PDB file of all heavy atoms in Angstrom:
ATOM      1  N   PHE A  23      16.574 -19.604   4.585  1.00  0.00           N
ATOM      2  CA  PHE A  23      15.538 -20.279   5.364  1.00  0.00           C
ATOM      3  C   PHE A  23      14.883 -21.392   4.546  1.00  0.00           C
ATOM      4  O   PHE A  23      14.751 -22.529   4.992  1.00  0.00           O
ATOM      5  CB  PHE A  23      14.480 -19.222   5.707  1.00  0.00           C
ATOM      6  CG  PHE A  23      13.919 -19.354   7.065  1.00  0.00           C
ATOM      7  CD1 PHE A  23      14.500 -18.689   8.132  1.00  0.00           C
ATOM      8  CD2 PHE A  23      12.809 -20.138   7.284  1.00  0.00           C
ATOM      9  CE1 PHE A  23      13.979 -18.810   9.398  1.00  0.00           C
ATOM     10  CE2 PHE A  23      12.286 -20.262   8.548  1.00  0.00           C
ATOM     11  CZ  PHE A  23      12.866 -19.596   9.612  1.00  0.00           C
ATOM     12  N   LEU A  26      17.228 -24.231   3.924  1.00  0.00           N
ATOM     13  CA  LEU A  26      17.317 -25.119   5.091  1.00  0.00           C
ATOM     14  C   LEU A  26      16.127 -26.073   5.132  1.00  0.00           C
ATOM     15  O   LEU A  26      16.274 -27.253   5.453  1.00  0.00           O
ATOM     16  CB  LEU A  26      17.329 -24.305   6.384  1.00  0.00           C
ATOM     17  CG  LEU A  26      18.672 -23.883   6.975  1.00  0.00           C
ATOM     18  CD1 LEU A  26      18.441 -23.281   8.361  1.00  0.00           C
ATOM     19  CD2 LEU A  26      19.625 -25.071   7.100  1.00  0.00           C
ATOM     20  N   GLU A  29      16.739 -28.754   2.729  1.00  0.00           N
ATOM     21  CA  GLU A  29      17.750 -29.668   3.263  1.00  0.00           C
ATOM     22  C   GLU A  29      17.118 -30.586   4.316  1.00  0.00           C
ATOM     23  O   GLU A  29      17.381 -31.788   4.372  1.00  0.00           O
ATOM     24  CB  GLU A  29      18.849 -28.816   3.918  1.00  0.00           C
ATOM     25  CG  GLU A  29      20.245 -29.371   3.809  1.00  0.00           C
ATOM     26  CD  GLU A  29      21.256 -28.413   4.452  1.00  0.00           C
ATOM     27  OE1 GLU A  29      21.332 -27.227   4.017  1.00  0.00           O
ATOM     28  OE2 GLU A  29      21.928 -28.830   5.398  1.00  0.00           O
ATOM     29  N   LEU A  64      16.778 -22.918  22.923  1.00  0.00           N
ATOM     30  CA  LEU A  64      17.742 -22.282  22.017  1.00  0.00           C
ATOM     31  C   LEU A  64      17.274 -20.885  21.630  1.00  0.00           C
ATOM     32  O   LEU A  64      18.055 -19.930  21.628  1.00  0.00           O
ATOM     33  CB  LEU A  64      17.875 -23.101  20.721  1.00  0.00           C
ATOM     34  CG  LEU A  64      18.730 -24.360  20.743  1.00  0.00           C
ATOM     35  CD1 LEU A  64      18.590 -25.087  19.410  1.00  0.00           C
ATOM     36  CD2 LEU A  64      20.190 -23.988  21.001  1.00  0.00           C
TER      37      LEU A  64
ATOM     38  N   ARG B  15      21.544 -35.018  12.881  1.00  0.00           N
ATOM     39  CA  ARG B  15      21.693 -34.033  11.797  1.00  0.00           C
ATOM     40  C   ARG B  15      20.506 -33.070  11.763  1.00  0.00           C
ATOM     41  O   ARG B  15      20.664 -31.881  11.472  1.00  0.00           O
ATOM     42  CB  ARG B  15      21.860 -34.747  10.450  1.00  0.00           C
ATOM     43  CG  ARG B  15      23.261 -35.367  10.319  1.00  0.00           C
ATOM     44  CD  ARG B  15      23.406 -36.215   9.080  1.00  0.00           C
ATOM     45  NE  ARG B  15      23.275 -35.442   7.848  1.00  0.00           N
ATOM     46  CZ  ARG B  15      23.138 -36.013   6.646  1.00  0.00           C
ATOM     47  NH1 ARG B  15      23.106 -37.334   6.525  1.00  0.00           N
ATOM     48  NH2 ARG B  15      23.034 -35.260   5.570  1.00  0.00           N
ATOM     49  N   ASP B  17      18.765 -32.183  14.416  1.00  0.00           N
ATOM     50  CA  ASP B  17      18.974 -31.263  15.546  1.00  0.00           C
ATOM     51  C   ASP B  17      19.933 -30.140  15.150  1.00  0.00           C
ATOM     52  O   ASP B  17      19.711 -28.970  15.457  1.00  0.00           O
ATOM     53  CB  ASP B  17      19.557 -32.019  16.754  1.00  0.00           C
ATOM     54  CG  ASP B  17      18.519 -32.935  17.399  1.00  0.00           C
ATOM     55  OD1 ASP B  17      17.313 -32.740  17.137  1.00  0.00           O
ATOM     56  OD2 ASP B  17      18.916 -33.841  18.151  1.00  0.00           O
ATOM     57  N   GLU B  18      21.015 -30.526  14.467  1.00  0.00           N
ATOM     58  CA  GLU B  18      22.024 -29.570  14.031  1.00  0.00           C
ATOM     59  C   GLU B  18      21.401 -28.553  13.058  1.00  0.00           C
ATOM     60  O   GLU B  18      21.603 -27.345  13.163  1.00  0.00           O
ATOM     61  CB  GLU B  18      23.180 -30.348  13.361  1.00  0.00           C
ATOM     62  CG  GLU B  18      24.273 -29.507  12.736  1.00  0.00           C
ATOM     63  CD  GLU B  18      24.817 -28.444  13.673  1.00  0.00           C
ATOM     64  OE1 GLU B  18      24.880 -28.700  14.892  1.00  0.00           O
ATOM     65  OE2 GLU B  18      25.139 -27.338  13.180  1.00  0.00           O
ATOM     66  N   LEU B  19      20.616 -29.085  12.127  1.00  0.00           N
ATOM     67  CA  LEU B  19      19.980 -28.222  11.135  1.00  0.00           C
ATOM     68  C   LEU B  19      18.997 -27.250  11.801  1.00  0.00           C
ATOM     69  O   LEU B  19      18.946 -26.063  11.473  1.00  0.00           O
ATOM     70  CB  LEU B  19      19.257 -29.114  10.122  1.00  0.00           C
ATOM     71  CG  LEU B  19      18.759 -28.453   8.848  1.00  0.00           C
ATOM     72  CD1 LEU B  19      18.928 -29.413   7.672  1.00  0.00           C
ATOM     73  CD2 LEU B  19      17.306 -28.066   8.982  1.00  0.00           C
ATOM     74  N   ASP B  20      18.240 -27.758  12.771  1.00  0.00           N
ATOM     75  CA  ASP B  20      17.282 -26.890  13.457  1.00  0.00           C
ATOM     76  C   ASP B  20      17.999 -25.804  14.254  1.00  0.00           C
ATOM     77  O   ASP B  20      17.468 -24.708  14.434  1.00  0.00           O
ATOM     78  CB  ASP B  20      16.372 -27.718  14.378  1.00  0.00           C
ATOM     79  CG  ASP B  20      15.317 -28.483  13.579  1.00  0.00           C
ATOM     80  OD1 ASP B  20      15.245 -28.287  12.347  1.00  0.00           O
ATOM     81  OD2 ASP B  20      14.569 -29.276  14.185  1.00  0.00           O
ATOM     82  N   ARG B  21      19.215 -26.122  14.727  1.00  0.00           N
ATOM     83  CA  ARG B  21      19.999 -25.098  15.424  1.00  0.00           C
ATOM     84  C   ARG B  21      20.310 -23.947  14.458  1.00  0.00           C
ATOM     85  O   ARG B  21      20.217 -22.777  14.822  1.00  0.00           O
ATOM     86  CB  ARG B  21      21.298 -25.725  15.957  1.00  0.00           C
ATOM     87  CG  ARG B  21      21.461 -25.569  17.450  1.00  0.00           C
ATOM     88  CD  ARG B  21      22.535 -26.503  17.993  1.00  0.00           C
ATOM     89  NE  ARG B  21      21.953 -27.750  18.467  1.00  0.00           N
ATOM     90  CZ  ARG B  21      22.492 -28.964  18.323  1.00  0.00           C
ATOM     91  NH1 ARG B  21      23.646 -29.121  17.689  1.00  0.00           N
ATOM     92  NH2 ARG B  21      21.871 -30.025  18.794  1.00  0.00           N
ATOM     93  N   ARG B  22      20.662 -24.300  13.227  1.00  0.00           N
ATOM     94  CA  ARG B  22      20.929 -23.251  12.222  1.00  0.00           C
ATOM     95  C   ARG B  22      19.655 -22.461  11.929  1.00  0.00           C
ATOM     96  O   ARG B  22      19.694 -21.254  11.683  1.00  0.00           O
ATOM     97  CB  ARG B  22      21.477 -23.885  10.934  1.00  0.00           C
ATOM     98  CG  ARG B  22      22.944 -24.289  11.073  1.00  0.00           C
ATOM     99  CD  ARG B  22      23.362 -25.351  10.066  1.00  0.00           C
ATOM    100  NE  ARG B  22      23.160 -24.967   8.677  1.00  0.00           N
ATOM    101  CZ  ARG B  22      23.037 -25.841   7.661  1.00  0.00           C
ATOM    102  NH1 ARG B  22      23.098 -27.146   7.895  1.00  0.00           N
ATOM    103  NH2 ARG B  22      22.854 -25.414   6.436  1.00  0.00           N
ATOM    104  N   PHE B  23      18.546 -23.170  11.974  1.00  0.00           N
ATOM    105  CA  PHE B  23      17.241 -22.547  11.794  1.00  0.00           C
ATOM    106  C   PHE B  23      17.014 -21.452  12.841  1.00  0.00           C
ATOM    107  O   PHE B  23      16.641 -20.325  12.526  1.00  0.00           O
ATOM    108  CB  PHE B  23      16.189 -23.644  11.994  1.00  0.00           C
ATOM    109  CG  PHE B  23      15.043 -23.555  11.069  1.00  0.00           C
ATOM    110  CD1 PHE B  23      15.073 -24.207   9.846  1.00  0.00           C
ATOM    111  CD2 PHE B  23      13.922 -22.824  11.411  1.00  0.00           C
ATOM    112  CE1 PHE B  23      14.006 -24.126   8.985  1.00  0.00           C
ATOM    113  CE2 PHE B  23      12.857 -22.741  10.552  1.00  0.00           C
ATOM    114  CZ  PHE B  23      12.901 -23.398   9.334  1.00  0.00           C
ATOM    115  N   VAL B  24      17.249 -21.812  14.091  1.00  0.00           N
ATOM    116  CA  VAL B  24      17.048 -20.852  15.182  1.00  0.00           C
ATOM    117  C   VAL B  24      18.051 -19.701  15.055  1.00  0.00           C
ATOM    118  O   VAL B  24      17.712 -18.537  15.299  1.00  0.00           O
ATOM    119  CB  VAL B  24      17.147 -21.553  16.559  1.00  0.00           C
ATOM    120  CG1 VAL B  24      17.059 -20.548  17.692  1.00  0.00           C
ATOM    121  CG2 VAL B  24      16.048 -22.597  16.704  1.00  0.00           C
ATOM    122  N   GLU B  25      19.291 -20.020  14.628  1.00  0.00           N
ATOM    123  CA  GLU B  25      20.288 -18.956  14.425  1.00  0.00           C
ATOM    124  C   GLU B  25      19.821 -17.961  13.360  1.00  0.00           C
ATOM    125  O   GLU B  25      19.979 -16.753  13.507  1.00  0.00           O
ATOM    126  CB  GLU B  25      21.635 -19.550  13.995  1.00  0.00           C
ATOM    127  CG  GLU B  25      22.446 -20.122  15.151  1.00  0.00           C
ATOM    128  CD  GLU B  25      23.574 -21.040  14.666  1.00  0.00           C
ATOM    129  OE1 GLU B  25      23.971 -20.919  13.479  1.00  0.00           O
ATOM    130  OE2 GLU B  25      24.023 -21.874  15.459  1.00  0.00           O
ATOM    131  N   LEU B  26      19.239 -18.511  12.290  1.00  0.00           N
ATOM    132  CA  LEU B  26      18.719 -17.633  11.233  1.00  0.00           C
ATOM    133  C   LEU B  26      17.613 -16.729  11.779  1.00  0.00           C
ATOM    134  O   LEU B  26      17.541 -15.546  11.449  1.00  0.00           O
ATOM    135  CB  LEU B  26      18.142 -18.453  10.083  1.00  0.00           C
ATOM    136  CG  LEU B  26      19.050 -18.824   8.916  1.00  0.00           C
ATOM    137  CD1 LEU B  26      18.212 -19.449   7.804  1.00  0.00           C
ATOM    138  CD2 LEU B  26      19.779 -17.600   8.367  1.00  0.00           C
ATOM    139  N   LEU B  27      16.767 -17.316  12.626  1.00  0.00           N
ATOM    140  CA  LEU B  27      15.694 -16.519  13.233  1.00  0.00           C
ATOM    141  C   LEU B  27      16.280 -15.368  14.041  1.00  0.00           C
ATOM    142  O   LEU B  27      15.782 -14.236  13.984  1.00  0.00           O
ATOM    143  CB  LEU B  27      14.850 -17.380  14.176  1.00  0.00           C
ATOM    144  CG  LEU B  27      13.737 -18.224  13.581  1.00  0.00           C
ATOM    145  CD1 LEU B  27      13.047 -18.997  14.705  1.00  0.00           C
ATOM    146  CD2 LEU B  27      12.715 -17.337  12.863  1.00  0.00           C
TER     147      LEU B  27
END
Side-chain angles (χ1 to χ4, degrees):
Chain A
F23 219 91
L26 268 189
E29 214 178 302
L64 281 174
Chain B
R15 286 173 64 192
D17 288 343
E18 175 51 34
L19 192 143
D20 284 355
R21 237 165 266 141
R22 284 158 58 202
F23 219 90
V24 175
E25 281 164 21
L26 268 189
L27 277 180

